[in-house]
């Protein structure tokens, strides 16, 4: 998707919604952070909800990047630029998605597992959980089991969330859960897992409470599990 127009000349604000969204997909592809931030602000100014901007402009754009990364058309440095541009847009949406006057309804720690540095999806889950009224402690990327245990000890969360984007790192989630079992702590926490290569079967097989397909499902699942926990 080589953009042959001169981006300097392109007035994003003059584009109708559908063309602007398409342009944002191109800009994300090209790693243009400022343009992504501008486009995000324009759509919000036109009355788009934060979640609509997130889903239709940013997440969909990243999906396209993912396809060309898989097919060897884009490489790591380019995808890093796309990720950086995506984070620019997410930074604007974050406070809007997290806007809530309510008391925290539960506490979650979330981190990407050891060996894995993908964090966009995890960050999105954290943002949506905050938006739903949860307190979220983000452990970042590349977390060994010790980091999860330390954070559990320190923050005493209701929920432990783990993210993995690689088939080679997703088995590490089982290492964390098995360690909780060994220490007799497993039943004290709701364990939710997610990430593109996972599925429900995997979640069950490793002993998680649930696999969450996306951030919205993570919120719904967390709410349901918290309600069950409170009722019990
Ligand atoms: Co990576 N990468 N990457 N990468 N990368 C994938 C995952 C890949 C599928 C690309 C591909 O080939 N199509 C592929 C994995 C293949 C596999 O394992 N089978 C891959 C690879 C191979 C690699 C490297 C090994 C490449 C290399 O070095 N040769 C390398 C690994 C580095 C490492 O981690 N050790 C690598 C590196 C990178 C970058 C650094 C360049 C960059 C990451 C930047 C960053 O995150 N800061 C990157 C990116 C951006 C991607 C793709 C293109 C996009 C991921 C993303 O952000 N998606 C990705 C392709 C793809 O997934 N289509 C790819 C958008 C995000 C919103 O979705 O993360 O799925 P996602 O999160 C969703 C759900 O999964 C769920 O909710 C989120 C929001 O709805 N979810 C959770 C996620 N975590 C959750 C936790 C929960 C609940 C739900 O807890 C409760």
């Amino acid at each position: 998707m080589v953009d042959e127009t001169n981006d300097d000349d392109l007035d994003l604000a003059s584009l109708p919604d559908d063309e602007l969204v398409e342009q944002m997909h191109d800009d994300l592809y090209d790693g243009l952070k400022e343009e992504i931030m501008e486009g995000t602000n324009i759509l919000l100014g036109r009355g788009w909800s934060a979640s609509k901007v997130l889903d239709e402009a940013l997440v969909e754009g990243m999906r396209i990047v993912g396809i060309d990364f898989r097919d060897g058309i884009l490489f790591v440095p380019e995808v890093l630029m796309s990720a950086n541009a995506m984070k620019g847009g997410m930074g604007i949406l974050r406070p809007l998605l997290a806007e809530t006057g309510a008391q925290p309804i539960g506490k979650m720690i979330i981190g990407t597992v050891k060996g894995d540095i993908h964090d966009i999806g995890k960050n999105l889950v954290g943002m949506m959980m905050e938006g739903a009224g949860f307190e979220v402690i983000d452990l970042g990327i590349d977390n060994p089991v010790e980091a999860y245990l330390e954070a559990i000890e320190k923050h005493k969360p209701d929920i432990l969330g783990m993210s993995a984007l690689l088939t080679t790192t997703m088995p590490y989630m089982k290492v964390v859960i098995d360690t909780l079992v060994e220490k007799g702590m497993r039943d004290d926490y709701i364990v939710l897992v997610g990430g593109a290569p996972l599925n429900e079967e995997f979640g069950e097989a490793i002993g998680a409470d649930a696999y969450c397909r996306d951030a919205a499902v993570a919120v719904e699942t967390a709410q349901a599990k918290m309600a069950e926990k409170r009722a019990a």
Side-chain angles (χ1 to χ4, degrees):
M1 211 187 291
V2 177
D3 185 358
E4 302 207 329
T5 60
N6 180 351
D7 280 323
D8 291 342
D9 293 342
L10 192 59
D11 177 13
L12 293 179
S14 69
L15 298 175
D17 287 6
D18 54 343
E19 284 178 30
L20 175 56
V21 167
E22 220 170 282
Q23 183 60 44
M24 286 175 72
H25 295 166
D26 287 353
D27 289 345
L28 201 59
Y29 194 94
D30 295 332
L32 302 176
K33 184 177 183 178
E34 274 177 27
E35 284 76 357
I36 287 298
M37 292 172 74
E38 188 185 343
T40 299
N41 280 323
I42 293 170
L43 289 174
L44 289 173
R46 289 180 189 174
W48 280 45
S49 68
S51 57
K52 187 169 155 81
V53 179
L54 182 65
D55 290 344
E56 295 183 22
L58 302 184
V59 172
E60 174 57 16
M62 209 59 197
R63 192 186 64 80
I64 299 167
V65 169
I67 293 169
D68 280 4
F69 188 31
R70 179 196 63 203
D71 295 344
I73 297 165
L74 286 178
F75 296 96
V76 170
E78 291 147 328
V79 179
L80 267 176
M81 300 263 297
S82 300
N84 188 39
M86 171 110 182
K87 284 182 180 179
M90 279 166 63
I92 294 170
L93 300 178
R94 179 180 201 110
L96 302 174
L97 291 168
E99 237 167 43
T100 166
Q103 283 292 312
I105 58 168
K107 198 190 274 190
M108 175 192 224
I109 62 171
I110 186 165
T112 304
V113 296
K114 185 175 168 182
D116 200 322
I117 63 169
H118 295 87
D119 67 354
I120 295 176
K122 166 190 69 61
N123 295 348
L124 209 46
V125 172
M127 278 163 55
M128 300 289 277
M129 291 289 294
E130 280 177 356
F134 284 84
E135 182 184 347
V136 176
I137 294 123
D138 187 343
L139 306 183
I141 55 174
D142 193 18
N143 283 286
V145 62
E146 294 79 11
Y148 290 107
L149 291 176
E150 199 180 303
I152 284 173
E153 179 68 28
K154 182 169 171 201
H155 299 287
K156 315 231 173 321
D158 304 289
I159 303 171
L160 165 62
M162 288 187 278
S163 179
L165 264 287
L166 299 171
T167 45
T168 49
T169 57
M170 58 191 240
Y172 196 77
M173 292 173 162
K174 183 164 168 15
V175 173
V176 178
I177 294 175
D178 285 351
T179 307
L180 292 178
V181 173
E182 273 164 31
K183 291 185 174 291
M185 297 158 68
R186 171 64 187 89
D187 293 340
D188 300 341
Y189 307 100
I190 298 163
V191 179
L192 303 181
V193 294
L198 279 63
N199 58 29
E200 214 156 318
E201 236 176 8
F202 175 79
E204 256 175 51
I206 62 169
D209 288 296
Y211 153 71
C212 308
R213 191 185 60 239
D214 58 30
V217 171
V219 168
E220 281 163 23
T221 310
Q223 287 167 333
K225 296 281 175 196
M226 282 300 294
E228 277 171 29
K229 187 176 168 179
R230 296 244 151 89

